[in-house]
Amino acid sequence: MATSRATSAATSMATYVAAGTACLALLLTGCGPDDNGSPGERDGASSATGSVITPTATAPVPHGKGSRLPDDVNGDGYPDLRIPVPSRKGGLPSRIAFVHGSSHGLNPATRTVLRHRDLGLPSEDVTVAGATEVATADLDGDGYADVTTTAGAALDESETERTQATVRTVPYISWGGPGGPGRTRSAARVQLTGPDDGVDAQRPTVGDFNGDGHHDLALIREDRRSLLVLYGPFNRAGKAARTVPYTSPLDGHGEIGDLIADTIADTAGDDDHGGEGGADGADGPRATDLVVHTVNDNDQSGSVLLPAGSHGLSHEGHPLREGNSIAFGDFDGDGRRDVAVGDSGTRNDEPGGETERADIGKTVSVYLKGAARTAGSAPRPLKVPGMSGTLAAADTNGDGTDELAVSLGRGGVELLTLRRGSHATAPRVADRRLLTRAAPASVDGKAVRKGERAARLYGVADFDHDGKDEVVLAWGRGLAFSRYGERPEWWWITDGKADKTAFSSKPFAADKD
């Protein structure tokens, strides 16, 4: 469905932003890096210049007319930020929030907060419905993103007798609509290949794997050696238009750990900033490739790339280098999609590691379009000192070329601008920019250790749909965040130079049911 941006909707959104902002109270000031060991600035680094606000007030959520964006849950044509809500009792997140985008960007007062039971998941499920357990996509094609998560469903008596199991993990869909996902008593259970089929507990992976404009799901099956690709549209009974199993995408080389899909292009709003078009190169939706990544024990592991086309994902995978950080983007500005694979630096220190090449750690190899489709050695790696964690693509200046956003172990993110080098398949780093944000030495009257103040890369999106991406940095207190990125509660939305907004999500836990 085409993106709708009526003038009246934009005017209403501006009113909501103004009203919500007027109700915000300052939480803290001076939240940038300090002189007590927090990340510093270099090579054009920028630090927080404004205040982190506490959005205790809420503003009405606009009711959109539908869009193709998988992360636009209220259908107004602007991506929304999905985040976990901190528990008021200090435990694991039990709610999920959507902070809605607009022509003015994100306004934390304009939000939708859902509890686990609001999604209509079965009561037998014990999975916490945090932001890491759910995915959003418009699965029924009505222009409004739906919320999909996996949950443990109790089997009936006949199923239990046949399978000798009492619970099976399957996906569920909580249907969206104007104004965002509504609270429902019963989510639709996704129909798999049969009653005995189940999936891994991690959230589904969203893509458009055949380029037909309908959102699809890829899921790891329970055996972790095969996967299912469910092609949309889905009906309200949870049945996909087509279901295709992939029995051994890794060709026997270990179990599947993760699935990473390319982003879905918004053809109406040119969200992909000049992408290559449809599955056959024509204008319109483009097919999204999928990387299948092997399980790793705190070590770097291999992947295969499944190219996408008009008939769906290929069953023949192309091997990629070992590395646990993977991102799709157009890093050389040729209008075609590339894939970056990086060694995030972790090692399990098992015997044999001492024989590894000294120059392979903390490097990124970028497979340019075409190079990623052929077997052979990996492109020349780019050295990224301090790299640790995730990669992302970010076009912060809207020129059609994605910067490679690299999460750093000491906190913050480095934005790398790449250019084609002398070798056609090996880009070089033309520019580096460092973005850092940090909490002060004391938050809510409690001291924060020097090594636990730095914010980390959370995601990238164009929340105001102006053709320029914003980078999301997050911070949370304690080792759960500084080591693993869990339980974030502060957020900085930056255009790469200055903050567009910065807020705490702690008040979200007090929103009325």
Side-chain angles (χ1 to χ4, degrees):
M1 179 175 292
T3 302
S4 173
R5 304 228 188 97
T7 302
S8 59
T11 303
S12 298
M13 190 60 206
T15 302
Y16 297 149
V17 171
T21 303
C23 297
L24 302 179
L26 291 179
L27 171 64
L28 290 167
T29 59
C31 300
D34 54 27
D35 296 328
N36 298 319
S38 296
E41 300 184 17
R42 64 173 176 81
D43 295 338
S46 60
S47 59
T49 56
S51 301
V52 173
I53 56 179
T54 304
T56 54
T58 60
V61 176
H63 287 210
K65 296 182 179 180
S67 77
R68 284 202 65 253
L69 297 173
D71 49 359
D72 176 17
V73 297
N74 61 327
D76 64 350
Y78 299 97
D80 305 316
L81 176 63
R82 182 182 73 243
I83 60 177
V85 177
S87 171
R88 284 180 288 183
K89 299 180 180 179
L92 292 173
S94 60
R95 300 186 183 194
I96 182 172
F98 296 94
V99 181
H100 299 284
S102 74
S103 60
H104 299 275
L106 292 177
N107 174 18
T110 308
R111 61 185 185 259
T112 299
V113 178
L114 298 173
R115 300 161 298 177
H116 175 264
R117 62 179 179 269
D118 293 331
L119 298 174
L121 300 178
S123 59
E124 293 81 3
D125 174 51
V126 296
T127 302
V128 175
T132 58
E133 285 80 37
V134 307
T136 58
D138 179 14
L139 297 177
D140 57 355
D142 65 353
Y144 304 100
D146 311 303
V147 179
T148 306
T149 188
T150 57
L155 304 181
D156 59 32
E157 186 174 339
S158 61
E159 290 176 315
T160 300
E161 291 178 355
R162 184 175 64 256
T163 63
Q164 302 300 310
T166 58
V167 176
R168 187 174 301 283
T169 301
V170 296
Y172 284 84
I173 304 172
S174 304
W175 302 108
R183 292 168 174 80
T184 179
R185 292 186 177 182
S186 180
R189 177 173 172 172
V190 175
Q191 299 180 36
L192 304 177
T193 59
D196 294 343
D197 207 356
V199 299
D200 184 72
Q202 69 175 266
R203 68 180 178 188
T205 300
V206 175
D208 182 0
F209 302 119
N210 58 357
D212 65 351
H214 295 293
H215 296 173
D216 312 319
L217 297 179
L219 303 111
I220 303 171
R221 298 172 93 170
E222 283 182 330
D223 62 6
R224 300 194 69 86
R225 295 185 180 276
S226 59
L227 60 92
L228 288 175
V229 178
L230 284 68
Y231 291 92
F234 290 66
N235 64 26
R236 285 301 179 107
K239 183 175 179 58
R242 179 166 60 105
T243 300
V244 179
Y246 287 71
T247 56
S248 186
L250 294 174
D251 196 23
H253 297 292
E255 297 182 351
I256 302 174
D258 299 290
L259 301 176
I260 303 95
D262 195 0
T263 54
I264 296 175
D266 173 26
T267 54
D270 194 26
D271 185 60
D272 195 47
H273 314 320
E276 65 197 77
D280 298 317
D283 291 338
R286 60 171 169 77
T288 55
D289 296 342
L290 181 72
V291 168
V292 182
H293 185 56
T294 58
V295 169
N296 67 86
D297 180 20
N298 203 40
D299 208 348
Q300 305 299 305
S301 55
S303 303
V304 297
L305 173 73
L306 300 182
S310 58
H311 298 291
L313 290 173
S314 171
H315 285 261
E316 180 180 355
H318 301 302
L320 303 175
R321 64 162 283 182
E322 291 185 346
N324 294 341
S325 302
I326 301 168
F328 286 92
D330 178 8
F331 301 113
D332 61 351
D334 66 351
R336 302 188 299 173
R337 306 297 290 176
D338 315 311
V339 60
V341 181
D343 183 326
S344 58
T346 60
R347 295 293 185 273
N348 61 13
D349 297 326
E350 291 185 356
E354 64 277 0
T355 64
E356 181 183 66
R357 284 173 45 191
D359 62 347
I360 201 65
K362 299 186 183 300
T363 63
V364 179
S365 295
V366 179
Y367 295 79
L368 301 179
K369 181 74 172 183
R373 305 297 191 269
T374 58
S377 59
R380 177 177 57 85
L382 305 172
K383 193 70 176 177
V384 188
M387 173 186 176
S388 178
T390 59
L391 298 176
D395 182 5
T396 60
N397 61 4
D399 66 353
T401 300
D402 288 315
E403 297 152 292
L404 182 61
V406 182
S407 182
L408 302 177
R410 64 181 180 276
V413 56
E414 190 166 35
L415 297 177
L416 306 181
T417 300
L418 306 181
R419 294 288 184 267
R420 281 186 178 266
S422 57
H423 194 288
T425 62
R428 60 182 177 84
V429 178
D431 185 54
R432 297 173 182 262
R433 283 188 296 153
L434 180 66
L435 302 179
T436 59
R437 300 291 185 274
S442 177
V443 176
D444 295 342
K446 297 181 180 180
V448 181
R449 297 178 182 178
K450 289 190 294 185
E452 297 177 3
R453 295 176 194 165
R456 297 169 57 149
L457 175 64
Y458 184 81
V460 174
D462 181 7
F463 296 110
D464 55 7
H465 224 311
D466 66 350
K468 301 177 183 179
D469 287 330
E470 290 85 57
V471 178
V472 182
L473 296 171
W475 174 84
R477 68 190 71 213
L479 292 176
F481 181 82
S482 62
R483 290 187 179 179
Y484 310 110
E486 298 177 354
R487 307 182 194 181
E489 57 187 56
W490 279 22
W491 309 87
W492 290 264
I493 318 300
T494 174
D495 61 7
K497 296 180 180 179
D499 292 339
K500 290 196 168 184
T501 187
F503 63 93
S504 167
S505 54
K506 286 186 64 179
F508 293 11
D511 282 5
K512 294 181 179 180
D513 295 342

